[in-house]
């Protein structure tokens, strides 16, 4: 994964681009077998096992930097993956983003994976992260985590040349966001509430021409923030994240990871730098990707795979024989 013109490195990069989407496809298919069955744990376990098996077959020297956590035996932090031959790659995984959405067959459940050159993905604790994201084409500093939601909306509306009431905001539907939602309603902003999955939410905001969403606001998981930043590096746009370290244990965990400034604002480039690959495959139907389709003789998946160096975004529909 280097911006090199040599044929060997180019071949390796192309192989990884193909491998990364094959891995999310397998994890999505495994999770989709539990779609709508009300069992979050089994859906997640199926996705984790399939992703782990697929990653371990890749010809690279992989290391998990964003993993499953909670003592999970597979895809845990610092676990080594792959055959050990080939490029040294940092791996960020979310085998099933939107576990509840999969169990209830709600929208935008995904299998997500990012690769970066060694040291390219930030280690973050298992905590929440405050986030704001918009798409490309705006002056730097249009939105900022130190501004209120109202100030960010007004600044974005001015930059876009529209009324505040024309802005569409994406927010996770969580009780913690009740004050934020009330503030947005007060100024007349349209809100798209997502039941789960803020990686998809950030990508929605970065693809506003396709999704109609202008900005993502709110808080979600810090590991998901790194994966979302990897996607933003590939798409373009602006994103800021700030860790919410509201307990002594979380502050200690951050410090042990080398994070000394607990109030720092991180740009997408801070969370995911260097050459980055990002892939996602739909598990359930959503506004970003269609979910897995099980036919009598084939399984159909819909995926997106992106690379930061080339800014290439590929939308892939694949048929897998049953």
């Amino acid at each position: 994964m280097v911006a090199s013109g040599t044929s060997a490195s180019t071949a390796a990069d192309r192989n990884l681009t193909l491998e990364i989407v094959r891995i999310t496809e397998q994890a999505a298919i495994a999770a989709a077998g539990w779609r709508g069955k009300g069992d979050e744990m089994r859906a997640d376990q199926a996705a984790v096992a399939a992703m782990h098996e697929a990653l371990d077959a890749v010809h690279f020297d992989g290391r998990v930097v964003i993993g499953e956590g909670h003592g999970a035996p597979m895809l845990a932090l610092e676990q080594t993956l792959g055959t050990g031959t080939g490029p040294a790659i940092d791996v960020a995984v979310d085998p099933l983003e939107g576990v509840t959405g999969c169990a209830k067959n709600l929208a935008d459940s995904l299998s997500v994976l990012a690769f970066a050159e060694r040291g390219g993905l930030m280690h973050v604790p298992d905590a929440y992260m405050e986030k704001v994201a918009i798409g490309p084409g705006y002056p730097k500093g249009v939105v900022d985590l130190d501004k209120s939601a109202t100030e960010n909306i007004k600044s974005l509306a001015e930059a876009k040349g529209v009324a505040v009431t024309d802005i569409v905001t994406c927010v996770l539907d969580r009780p913690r966001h009740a004050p934020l939602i009330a503030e947005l309603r007060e100024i007349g902003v349209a809100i798209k509430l997502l039941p789960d999955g803020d990686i998809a939410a950030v990508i929605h905001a970065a693809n506003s021409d396709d999704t109609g969403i202008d900005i993502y606001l709110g808080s979600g998981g810090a590991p998901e923030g790194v994966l979302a930043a990897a996607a933003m590096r590939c798409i373009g746009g602006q994103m800021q994240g700030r860790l919410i370290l509201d307990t002594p244990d979380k502050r200690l965990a951050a410090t042990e990871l080398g994070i000394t400034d607990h109030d720092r604002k991180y740009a997408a480039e801070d969370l995911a730098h260097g050459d980055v690959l990002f892939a996602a495959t739909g598990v359930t139907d959503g506004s970003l990707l269609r979910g897995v389709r099980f036919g009598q003789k084939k399984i159909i998946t819909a995926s997106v795979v992106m690379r930061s160096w080339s800014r290439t975004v590929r939308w892939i529909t694949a048929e897998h024989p049953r």
Side-chain angles (χ1 to χ4, degrees):
M1 288 182 63
V2 290
S4 169
T6 66
S7 59
S9 67
T10 301
D13 293 346
R14 287 175 178 168
N15 286 339
L16 282 178
T17 302
L18 288 172
E19 291 290 357
I20 192 172
V21 74
R22 286 175 182 149
I23 294 163
T24 56
E25 286 170 351
Q26 293 307 308
I29 290 169
W34 292 94
R35 187 173 53 199
K37 297 180 180 178
D39 196 327
E40 297 181 9
M41 182 176 294
R42 288 194 175 183
D44 191 49
Q45 287 173 342
V48 169
M51 181 170 281
H52 180 269
E53 181 180 5
L55 278 165
D56 235 10
V58 178
H59 292 293
F60 73 164
D61 177 15
R63 178 185 68 173
V64 177
V65 297
I66 299 292
E68 281 295 278
H70 306 297
M74 289 190 287
L75 301 180
L77 189 66
E78 298 296 336
Q79 182 178 0
T80 57
L81 296 166
T83 63
T85 60
I89 299 296
D90 280 355
V91 180
V93 306
D94 198 343
L96 183 55
E97 198 217 8
V99 174
T100 302
C102 178
K104 295 182 177 180
N105 206 3
L106 301 174
D108 288 316
S109 183
L110 305 170
S111 177
V112 182
L113 182 63
F115 290 165
E117 298 166 295
R118 186 57 48 86
L121 299 172
M122 181 177 169
H123 290 67
V124 294
D126 187 11
Y128 281 124
M129 177 183 282
E130 184 184 2
K131 304 167 192 173
V132 60
I134 58 173
Y138 297 105
K140 200 155 188 173
V142 168
V143 294
D144 194 287
L145 285 176
D146 287 333
K147 295 178 181 178
S148 68
T150 299
E151 289 171 331
N152 276 320
I153 295 295
K154 288 182 176 179
S155 178
L156 180 59
E158 183 178 352
K160 193 175 181 181
V162 300
V164 165
T165 52
D166 291 331
I167 297 294
V168 179
T169 307
C170 190
V171 179
L172 282 184
D173 191 5
R174 294 289 186 274
R176 66 179 180 270
H177 288 147
L180 169 62
I181 292 168
E183 180 181 351
L184 295 171
R185 299 279 192 219
E186 182 68 24
I187 61 173
V189 172
I191 303 174
K192 179 177 177 62
L193 291 173
L194 289 187
D196 219 344
D198 65 340
I199 298 174
V202 170
I203 297 174
H204 286 357
N207 284 286
S208 56
D209 288 345
D210 297 325
T211 65
I213 294 167
D214 299 297
I215 183 171
Y216 170 71
L217 290 167
S219 61
E224 289 81 2
V226 175
L227 279 155
M232 289 293 282
R233 286 286 323 288
C234 300
I235 304 169
Q238 299 178 39
M239 175 183 169
Q240 284 185 348
R242 179 161 47 203
L243 293 168
I244 301 175
L245 304 173
D246 50 1
T247 68
D249 286 346
K250 291 175 184 176
R251 289 190 287 274
L252 176 61
T255 301
E256 288 176 342
L257 290 172
I259 300 170
T260 55
D261 183 354
H262 293 173
D263 298 316
R264 179 179 170 181
K265 292 182 295 186
Y266 296 96
E269 295 79 9
D270 301 316
L271 298 170
H273 59 271
D275 193 13
V276 177
L277 285 172
F278 174 92
T281 300
V283 176
T284 62
D285 285 342
S287 49
L288 181 67
L289 293 164
R290 293 189 73 184
V292 176
R293 293 287 191 277
F294 291 102
Q296 185 175 0
K297 295 184 178 180
K298 62 187 176 183
I299 301 170
I300 301 173
T301 56
S303 306
V304 59
V305 59
M306 322 172 189
R307 187 179 178 189
S308 65
W309 174 65
S310 61
R311 286 287 179 90
T312 304
V313 178
R314 293 181 172 90
W315 301 89
I316 299 172
T317 300
E319 296 184 358
H320 313 262
R322 296 195 73 167

